[in-house]
Each structure stands twice: as C-alpha cells, then as structure tokens.
CSV table of all heavy atoms in Angstrom, one decimal:
chain,number,residue,atom,x,y,z
V,503,PRO,N,2.7,-61.0,4.7
V,503,PRO,CA,4.0,-61.3,5.3
V,503,PRO,C,5.1,-61.3,4.2
V,503,PRO,O,6.2,-60.8,4.5
V,503,PRO,CB,3.8,-62.8,5.7
V,503,PRO,CG,2.4,-62.9,6.0
V,503,PRO,CD,1.7,-62.1,4.9
V,504,LEU,N,4.9,-61.8,3.0
V,504,LEU,CA,5.9,-61.8,2.0
V,504,LEU,C,6.3,-60.4,1.5
V,504,LEU,O,7.5,-60.1,1.3
V,504,LEU,CB,5.5,-62.7,0.8
V,504,LEU,CG,5.5,-64.2,1.1
V,504,LEU,CD1,4.9,-64.9,-0.2
V,504,LEU,CD2,6.8,-64.7,1.4
V,505,LEU,N,5.3,-59.6,1.3
V,505,LEU,CA,5.6,-58.2,0.8
V,505,LEU,C,6.2,-57.3,2.0
V,505,LEU,O,6.8,-56.3,1.7
V,505,LEU,CB,4.3,-57.6,0.3
V,505,LEU,CG,3.8,-58.2,-1.0
V,505,LEU,CD1,2.6,-57.4,-1.6
V,505,LEU,CD2,4.9,-58.3,-2.1
V,506,ALA,N,6.0,-57.8,3.2
V,506,ALA,CA,6.7,-57.1,4.3
V,506,ALA,C,8.2,-57.3,4.2
V,506,ALA,O,9.0,-56.5,4.7
V,506,ALA,CB,6.1,-57.5,5.6
V,507,ILE,N,8.6,-58.5,3.7
V,507,ILE,CA,10.0,-58.8,3.6
V,507,ILE,C,10.7,-58.0,2.5
V,507,ILE,O,11.9,-57.8,2.5
V,507,ILE,CB,10.1,-60.4,3.3
V,507,ILE,CG1,9.5,-61.2,4.5
V,507,ILE,CG2,11.6,-60.8,3.1
V,507,ILE,CD1,9.5,-62.7,4.2
V,508,VAL,N,9.9,-57.7,1.5
V,508,VAL,CA,10.5,-57.0,0.3
V,508,VAL,C,11.2,-55.8,0.7
V,508,VAL,O,12.3,-55.4,0.1
V,508,VAL,CB,9.3,-56.6,-0.7
V,508,VAL,CG1,9.9,-55.7,-1.8
V,508,VAL,CG2,8.8,-57.9,-1.3
V,509,LYS,N,10.8,-55.0,1.6
V,509,LYS,CA,11.4,-53.7,2.0
V,509,LYS,C,12.9,-54.0,2.5
V,509,LYS,O,13.6,-53.0,2.6
V,509,LYS,CB,10.6,-53.0,3.1
V,509,LYS,CG,10.5,-53.8,4.4
V,509,LYS,CD,9.6,-53.0,5.4
V,509,LYS,CE,9.4,-53.8,6.7
V,509,LYS,NZ,8.5,-53.0,7.6
V,510,TRP,N,13.3,-55.2,2.9
V,510,TRP,CA,14.6,-55.5,3.3
V,510,TRP,C,15.6,-55.4,2.2
V,510,TRP,O,16.8,-55.1,2.4
V,510,TRP,CB,14.7,-56.9,4.0
V,510,TRP,CG,13.9,-57.0,5.2
V,510,TRP,CD1,13.3,-55.9,5.9
V,510,TRP,CD2,13.6,-58.2,5.9
V,510,TRP,NE1,12.6,-56.4,7.0
V,510,TRP,CE2,12.7,-57.8,7.1
V,510,TRP,CE3,13.9,-59.5,5.8
V,510,TRP,CZ2,12.3,-58.7,8.0
V,510,TRP,CZ3,13.4,-60.4,6.7
V,510,TRP,CH2,12.6,-60.0,7.8
V,511,PHE,N,15.2,-55.7,0.9
V,511,PHE,CA,16.1,-55.8,-0.2
V,511,PHE,C,15.6,-55.1,-1.5
V,511,PHE,O,16.2,-55.2,-2.5
V,511,PHE,CB,16.5,-57.2,-0.5
V,511,PHE,CG,15.3,-58.2,-0.6
V,511,PHE,CD1,14.5,-58.2,-1.7
V,511,PHE,CD2,15.0,-59.0,0.5
V,511,PHE,CE1,13.4,-59.1,-1.8
V,511,PHE,CE2,13.9,-59.8,0.4
V,511,PHE,CZ,13.1,-59.9,-0.7
V,512,ASP,N,14.5,-54.4,-1.4
V,512,ASP,CA,13.9,-53.7,-2.5
V,512,ASP,C,13.0,-52.6,-2.0
V,512,ASP,O,12.7,-52.4,-0.8
V,512,ASP,CB,13.1,-54.7,-3.4
V,512,ASP,CG,12.9,-54.1,-4.8
V,512,ASP,OD1,13.4,-53.0,-5.1
V,512,ASP,OD2,12.3,-54.8,-5.6
V,513,ARG,N,12.5,-51.8,-3.0
V,513,ARG,CA,11.6,-50.7,-2.6
V,513,ARG,C,10.3,-51.3,-2.0
V,513,ARG,O,9.8,-52.3,-2.5
V,513,ARG,CB,11.1,-49.9,-3.8
V,513,ARG,CG,12.2,-48.9,-4.4
V,513,ARG,CD,11.6,-48.1,-5.5
V,513,ARG,NE,11.2,-49.0,-6.6
V,513,ARG,CZ,10.4,-48.6,-7.6
V,513,ARG,NH1,9.9,-47.4,-7.6
V,513,ARG,NH2,10.1,-49.4,-8.6
V,514,PRO,N,9.9,-50.8,-0.8
V,514,PRO,CA,8.7,-51.4,-0.2
V,514,PRO,C,7.4,-51.2,-1.0
V,514,PRO,O,7.3,-50.3,-1.8
V,514,PRO,CB,8.6,-50.6,1.1
V,514,PRO,CG,9.3,-49.3,0.8
V,514,PRO,CD,10.4,-49.6,-0.1
V,515,VAL,N,6.5,-52.2,-0.9
V,515,VAL,CA,5.2,-52.1,-1.6
V,515,VAL,C,4.2,-51.5,-0.6
V,515,VAL,O,4.0,-52.0,0.5
V,515,VAL,CB,4.7,-53.5,-2.0
V,515,VAL,CG1,3.4,-53.5,-2.6
V,515,VAL,CG2,5.8,-54.2,-2.9
V,516,PRO,N,3.7,-50.3,-1.0
V,516,PRO,CA,2.7,-49.6,-0.1
V,516,PRO,C,1.6,-50.5,0.4
V,516,PRO,O,1.2,-51.4,-0.3
V,516,PRO,CB,2.2,-48.5,-0.9
V,516,PRO,CG,3.3,-48.2,-1.9
V,516,PRO,CD,3.9,-49.6,-2.2
V,517,ILE,N,1.2,-50.3,1.6
V,517,ILE,CA,0.1,-51.2,2.2
V,517,ILE,C,-1.2,-51.1,1.4
V,517,ILE,O,-1.9,-52.1,1.3
V,517,ILE,CB,-0.1,-50.8,3.7
V,517,ILE,CG1,-1.0,-51.8,4.4
V,517,ILE,CG2,-0.7,-49.4,3.8
V,517,ILE,CD1,-0.4,-53.2,4.5
V,518,ARG,N,-1.5,-50.0,0.8
V,518,ARG,CA,-2.7,-49.9,0.0
V,518,ARG,C,-2.6,-50.8,-1.2
V,518,ARG,O,-3.6,-51.3,-1.7
V,518,ARG,CB,-3.1,-48.5,-0.3
V,518,ARG,CG,-3.6,-47.7,0.9
V,518,ARG,CD,-4.1,-46.3,0.5
V,518,ARG,NE,-3.0,-45.5,0.1
V,518,ARG,CZ,-3.1,-44.2,-0.3
V,518,ARG,NH1,-4.3,-43.6,-0.4
V,518,ARG,NH2,-2.0,-43.5,-0.6
V,519,TRP,N,-1.4,-50.9,-1.8
V,519,TRP,CA,-1.2,-51.7,-2.9
V,519,TRP,C,-1.4,-53.2,-2.5
V,519,TRP,O,-2.0,-54.0,-3.3
V,519,TRP,CB,0.2,-51.6,-3.5
V,519,TRP,CG,0.5,-50.2,-4.1
V,519,TRP,CD1,-0.3,-49.1,-4.0
V,519,TRP,CD2,1.6,-49.9,-4.9
V,519,TRP,NE1,0.3,-48.0,-4.7
V,519,TRP,CE2,1.4,-48.5,-5.3
V,519,TRP,CE3,2.7,-50.6,-5.4
V,519,TRP,CZ2,2.4,-47.9,-6.1
V,519,TRP,CZ3,3.6,-49.9,-6.2
V,519,TRP,CH2,3.4,-48.6,-6.5
V,520,GLN,N,-0.9,-53.5,-1.3
V,520,GLN,CA,-1.1,-54.9,-0.8
V,520,GLN,C,-2.6,-55.2,-0.6
V,520,GLN,O,-3.0,-56.4,-0.9
V,520,GLN,CB,-0.3,-55.0,0.5
V,520,GLN,CG,1.2,-54.9,0.4
V,520,GLN,CD,1.9,-55.0,1.7
V,520,GLN,OE1,1.5,-55.8,2.6
V,520,GLN,NE2,2.9,-54.2,1.9
V,521,HIS,N,-3.4,-54.2,-0.2
V,521,HIS,CA,-4.8,-54.5,-0.1
V,521,HIS,C,-5.4,-54.8,-1.5
V,521,HIS,O,-6.3,-55.7,-1.6
V,521,HIS,CB,-5.5,-53.2,0.4
V,521,HIS,CG,-5.1,-52.8,1.8
V,521,HIS,ND1,-4.6,-53.8,2.7
V,521,HIS,CD2,-5.2,-51.6,2.5
V,521,HIS,CE1,-4.4,-53.1,3.8
V,521,HIS,NE2,-4.7,-51.9,3.7
V,522,VAL,N,-5.0,-54.1,-2.6
V,522,VAL,CA,-5.4,-54.4,-3.9
V,522,VAL,C,-5.0,-55.9,-4.3
V,522,VAL,O,-5.8,-56.6,-4.9
V,522,VAL,CB,-4.9,-53.4,-4.9
V,522,VAL,CG1,-5.3,-53.8,-6.4
V,522,VAL,CG2,-5.5,-52.0,-4.6
V,523,LEU,N,-3.8,-56.2,-4.0
V,523,LEU,CA,-3.3,-57.6,-4.4
V,523,LEU,C,-4.1,-58.7,-3.6
V,523,LEU,O,-4.4,-59.8,-4.1
V,523,LEU,CB,-1.8,-57.7,-4.0
V,523,LEU,CG,-0.9,-56.9,-4.9
V,523,LEU,CD1,0.5,-56.9,-4.4
V,523,LEU,CD2,-0.9,-57.4,-6.3
V,524,PHE,N,-4.5,-58.3,-2.4
V,524,PHE,CA,-5.3,-59.3,-1.6
V,524,PHE,C,-6.8,-59.4,-2.1
V,524,PHE,O,-7.3,-60.5,-2.4
V,524,PHE,CB,-5.4,-58.9,-0.1
V,524,PHE,CG,-6.4,-59.6,0.7
V,524,PHE,CD1,-6.2,-61.0,0.9
V,524,PHE,CD2,-7.5,-59.0,1.2
V,524,PHE,CE1,-7.2,-61.7,1.7
V,524,PHE,CE2,-8.4,-59.7,2.0
V,524,PHE,CZ,-8.3,-61.0,2.2
V,525,PHE,N,-7.4,-58.2,-2.3
V,525,PHE,CA,-8.8,-58.2,-2.8
V,525,PHE,C,-8.9,-58.6,-4.2
V,525,PHE,O,-10.0,-59.1,-4.7
V,525,PHE,CB,-9.5,-56.9,-2.5
V,525,PHE,CG,-9.8,-56.5,-1.1
V,525,PHE,CD1,-9.0,-55.5,-0.4
V,525,PHE,CD2,-10.7,-57.2,-0.4
V,525,PHE,CE1,-9.3,-55.2,0.9
V,525,PHE,CE2,-11.0,-56.9,0.9
V,525,PHE,CZ,-10.3,-55.9,1.6
V,526,GLY,N,-7.8,-58.5,-5.0
V,526,GLY,CA,-7.9,-58.9,-6.4
V,526,GLY,C,-7.6,-60.4,-6.6
V,526,GLY,O,-7.2,-60.8,-7.7
V,527,ASN,N,-7.7,-61.1,-5.6
V,527,ASN,CA,-7.5,-62.6,-5.6
V,527,ASN,C,-8.6,-63.3,-6.3
V,527,ASN,O,-9.4,-64.1,-5.7
V,527,ASN,CB,-7.3,-63.1,-4.2
V,527,ASN,CG,-7.0,-64.6,-4.1
V,527,ASN,OD1,-6.4,-65.1,-5.0
V,527,ASN,ND2,-7.4,-65.2,-3.0
V,528,ILE,N,-8.8,-63.0,-7.6
V,528,ILE,CA,-10.0,-63.5,-8.3
V,528,ILE,C,-9.6,-64.8,-9.1
V,528,ILE,O,-8.5,-64.8,-9.7
V,528,ILE,CB,-10.5,-62.5,-9.3
V,528,ILE,CG1,-10.9,-61.2,-8.5
V,528,ILE,CG2,-11.7,-63.0,-10.1
V,528,ILE,CD1,-11.3,-60.0,-9.4
V,529,LYS,N,-10.4,-65.8,-9.2
V,529,LYS,CA,-10.1,-67.0,-9.9
V,529,LYS,C,-10.6,-67.0,-11.3
V,529,LYS,O,-11.5,-66.2,-11.6
V,529,LYS,CB,-10.8,-68.2,-9.1
V,529,LYS,CG,-10.5,-68.3,-7.6
V,529,LYS,CD,-9.0,-68.2,-7.4
V,529,LYS,CE,-8.6,-67.8,-5.9
V,529,LYS,NZ,-7.2,-67.6,-5.8
V,530,GLY,N,-10.1,-67.8,-12.1
V,530,GLY,CA,-10.4,-67.8,-13.5
V,530,GLY,C,-10.4,-69.1,-14.3
V,530,GLY,O,-10.7,-70.2,-13.7
V,531,SER,N,-9.9,-69.1,-15.5
V,531,SER,CA,-10.1,-70.2,-16.4
V,531,SER,C,-9.3,-71.4,-16.0
V,531,SER,O,-9.7,-72.6,-16.1
V,531,SER,CB,-9.7,-69.8,-17.8
V,531,SER,OG,-8.4,-69.2,-17.8
V,532,LEU,N,-8.0,-71.2,-15.6
V,532,LEU,CA,-7.2,-72.4,-15.2
V,532,LEU,C,-7.7,-73.1,-14.0
V,532,LEU,O,-7.6,-74.3,-14.0
V,532,LEU,CB,-5.7,-71.9,-15.0
V,532,LEU,CG,-4.7,-73.0,-14.8
V,532,LEU,CD1,-4.5,-73.8,-16.2
V,532,LEU,CD2,-3.3,-72.4,-14.4
V,533,SER,N,-8.3,-72.4,-13.1
V,533,SER,CA,-8.9,-73.0,-11.9
V,533,SER,C,-10.0,-73.9,-12.3
V,533,SER,O,-10.4,-74.8,-11.6
V,533,SER,CB,-9.3,-71.9,-10.9
V,533,SER,OG,-8.2,-71.2,-10.4
V,534,MET,N,-10.7,-73.6,-13.4
V,534,MET,CA,-11.8,-74.4,-13.9
V,534,MET,C,-11.4,-75.6,-14.8
V,534,MET,O,-11.9,-76.7,-14.7
V,534,MET,CB,-12.8,-73.6,-14.7
V,534,MET,CG,-13.5,-72.5,-13.9
V,534,MET,SD,-14.8,-73.1,-12.9
V,534,MET,CE,-16.0,-73.4,-14.2
V,535,ALA,N,-10.3,-75.4,-15.6
V,535,ALA,CA,-9.9,-76.4,-16.5
V,535,ALA,C,-9.2,-77.5,-15.8
V,535,ALA,O,-9.4,-78.7,-16.2
V,535,ALA,CB,-9.0,-75.7,-17.6
V,536,LEU,N,-8.3,-77.2,-14.9
V,536,LEU,CA,-7.5,-78.3,-14.3
V,536,LEU,C,-8.3,-79.4,-13.6
V,536,LEU,O,-8.0,-80.6,-13.7
V,536,LEU,CB,-6.5,-77.7,-13.3
V,536,LEU,CG,-5.3,-76.9,-13.9
V,536,LEU,CD1,-4.4,-76.3,-12.8
V,536,LEU,CD2,-4.5,-77.8,-14.8
V,537,PRO,N,-9.4,-79.0,-12.8
V,537,PRO,CA,-10.2,-80.1,-12.2
V,537,PRO,C,-10.8,-81.0,-13.2
V,537,PRO,O,-10.9,-82.2,-12.9
V,537,PRO,CB,-11.3,-79.3,-11.4
V,537,PRO,CG,-10.7,-78.0,-11.2
V,537,PRO,CD,-9.8,-77.7,-12.4
V,538,LEU,N,-11.2,-80.6,-14.3
V,538,LEU,CA,-11.8,-81.4,-15.3
V,538,LEU,C,-10.8,-82.4,-15.9
V,538,LEU,O,-11.2,-83.5,-16.5
V,538,LEU,CB,-12.4,-80.6,-16.5
V,538,LEU,CG,-13.7,-79.8,-16.1
V,538,LEU,CD1,-14.1,-79.0,-17.3
V,538,LEU,CD2,-14.8,-80.7,-15.6
V,539,SER,N,-9.5,-82.1,-15.8
V,539,SER,CA,-8.5,-83.1,-16.3
V,539,SER,C,-8.0,-84.1,-15.3
V,539,SER,O,-7.0,-84.8,-15.6
V,539,SER,CB,-7.3,-82.2,-16.9
V,539,SER,OG,-6.7,-81.5,-15.9
V,540,LEU,N,-8.6,-84.1,-14.1
V,540,LEU,CA,-8.2,-85.0,-13.1
V,540,LEU,C,-8.5,-86.5,-13.5
V,540,LEU,O,-9.5,-86.7,-14.3
V,540,LEU,CB,-9.0,-84.7,-11.8
V,540,LEU,CG,-8.6,-83.5,-11.0
V,540,LEU,CD1,-9.5,-83.2,-9.9
V,540,LEU,CD2,-7.1,-83.6,-10.5
V,541,PRO,N,-7.8,-87.5,-13.1
V,541,PRO,CA,-8.0,-88.9,-13.4
V,541,PRO,C,-9.4,-89.3,-12.9
V,541,PRO,O,-9.8,-88.9,-11.8
V,541,PRO,CB,-6.9,-89.6,-12.7
V,541,PRO,CG,-5.8,-88.6,-12.4
V,541,PRO,CD,-6.5,-87.3,-12.3
V,542,LEU,N,-10.1,-90.1,-13.7
V,542,LEU,CA,-11.5,-90.5,-13.3
V,542,LEU,C,-11.5,-91.4,-12.1
V,542,LEU,O,-12.4,-91.4,-11.3
V,542,LEU,CB,-12.1,-91.3,-14.5
V,542,LEU,CG,-12.4,-90.5,-15.8
V,542,LEU,CD1,-12.9,-91.4,-16.9
V,542,LEU,CD2,-13.4,-89.4,-15.5
V,543,ALA,N,-10.3,-92.0,-11.8
V,543,ALA,CA,-10.3,-93.0,-10.7
V,543,ALA,C,-10.0,-92.2,-9.4
V,543,ALA,O,-10.0,-92.9,-8.3
V,543,ALA,CB,-9.2,-94.0,-10.9
C-alpha cells in the first residue's frame, strides 16, 4: 500500500522490487537484543 502511494509524487517502485522488499523481511540482531533489555518485572 505505501509503495503504491509513491507513484503519486515520485518515480514508481516496480512491483517486482516490492516483492523483494516483502520477502527480504529478515530479522536480526536488534530484534534479539531489545527483548533481553526488558524490565524483569
């Protein structure tokens, strides 16, 4: 939805690029570190 809006005010992002951005939704270090810093209570 958000990249569909881009074409209104900028060069459109091709749909195949959007597929890469969707499938490249990989998690990493920050997603692991933040939970460990949660309050013990």
Side-chain angles (χ1 to χ4, degrees):
L504 289 176
L505 293 183
I507 299 173
V508 170
K509 63 183 179 183
W510 296 348
F511 46 80
D512 198 2
R513 285 184 299 164
V515 178
I517 189 66
R518 285 186 294 179
W519 294 15
Q520 296 179 37
H521 296 335
V522 174
L523 292 169
F524 169 67
F525 288 111
N527 182 29
I528 302 171
K529 308 307 163 190
S531 55
L532 191 63
S533 297
M534 295 282 288
L536 288 180
L538 291 176
S539 61
L540 289 171
L542 295 174

